[in-house]
Amino acid sequence: MNHRLSSAVAVSGLVWLVACGEDSKPKELGPRQEEAGFAVEGQVVSLDSASQTGPTKLTIAWENWMRDGDIIVSQGSVAVPQSLPSGYSLRLTGAPGPGALNDLGAGAGFLGTGRIAVYQDVNGDDRFDLETEPLRGLSATHIVLYAPTVTPALLSELREWNGITNLDALVPGYQLARGVCRDGTSFDALEIVPSTPASVVSESESDDGCLNYH
């Protein structure tokens, strides 16, 4: 598995092609969806040992893998008890922060891919800093997707990428996706699924999943 949060990700050499001549009204996120937010829930099963002091927090770590060197932007924060396994619930409202989304280029739009991550909040600011704060756990099976709008141009780009198996299920706002293993190829795929509990395991165990989708 090749994920940015445990090792440097080499951005794939995909060529993003822009759709031309498609003309229909884009699907947009409504105000009720924005206000209600999206709940990410599940259970923290295991974590790597804490190498520094500070509270243990769960967050969504958005991977902007279209940027040189990658960018991680965290959103939301809930405390994780020391006694495991333990349930968690994190509600996401509004949009992910600046720099969190992948710009697919040439007016196609944006797509966010967020890992469900547990980290040690060393400085107590409720934000995950990959460079200075230990990553202790990840969901090995699920990620969060975010699309501000869904347009024909965006769908065309994502068809070229071929990274989402059921692209017709993509809607504006937040949704959950699971990793789909692909044999004999460099990258795995994602499948959009109904909201379901997503387990988090220690970072050292998370390589067992199928979330090498870049």
Side-chain angles (χ1 to χ4, degrees):
M1 180 179 172
N2 180 17
H3 55 68
R4 171 63 178 90
L5 294 181
S6 63
S7 61
V9 167
V11 177
S12 67
L14 298 174
V15 178
W16 296 87
L17 302 177
V18 180
C20 298
E22 294 180 273
D23 185 18
S24 65
K25 185 178 179 180
K27 299 176 184 176
E28 298 183 354
L29 192 66
R32 288 187 179 179
Q33 290 171 286
E34 288 280 13
E35 292 169 8
F38 180 80
V40 184
E41 299 177 320
Q43 189 175 60
V44 179
V45 177
S46 62
L47 293 174
D48 288 327
S49 300
S51 59
Q52 299 184 55
T53 59
T56 304
K57 302 285 184 67
L58 183 140
T59 190
I60 302 302
W62 296 98
E63 300 177 286
N64 191 334
W65 35 268
M66 293 296 289
R67 297 283 190 94
D68 291 337
D70 302 325
I71 294 175
I72 300 295
V73 177
S74 67
Q75 180 185 9
S77 180
V78 292
V80 175
Q82 291 185 349
S83 178
L84 299 178
S86 175
Y88 72 84
S89 179
L90 176 63
R91 186 166 293 277
L92 303 174
T93 57
L101 306 183
N102 294 288
D103 184 349
L104 304 187
F110 297 84
L111 180 71
T113 55
R115 296 298 302 271
I116 305 168
V118 173
Y119 69 103
Q120 206 71 21
D121 191 10
V122 176
N123 61 12
D125 67 350
D126 283 338
R127 292 182 179 276
F128 176 37
D129 184 342
L130 180 61
E131 304 302 323
T132 61
E133 295 178 321
L135 175 68
R136 298 186 57 195
L138 289 166
S139 174
T141 55
H142 291 81
I143 71 165
V144 179
L145 295 178
Y146 181 85
T149 60
V150 176
T151 65
L154 175 65
L155 293 175
S156 181
E157 290 286 313
L158 295 177
R159 286 191 193 96
E160 288 292 334
W161 177 40
N162 194 29
I164 299 177
T165 62
N166 57 339
L167 194 54
D168 57 330
L170 183 68
V171 297
Y174 295 98
Q175 53 211 300
L176 199 66
R178 71 177 187 92
V180 178
C181 292
R182 282 178 169 170
D183 294 331
T185 62
S186 299
F187 295 96
D188 297 322
L190 299 171
E191 179 189 14
I192 298 169
V193 295
S195 186
T196 186
S199 295
V200 173
V201 296
S202 64
E203 193 272 336
S204 57
E205 296 177 90
S206 65
D207 282 350
D208 294 336
C210 299
L211 288 179
N212 172 26
Y213 51 85
H214 294 181

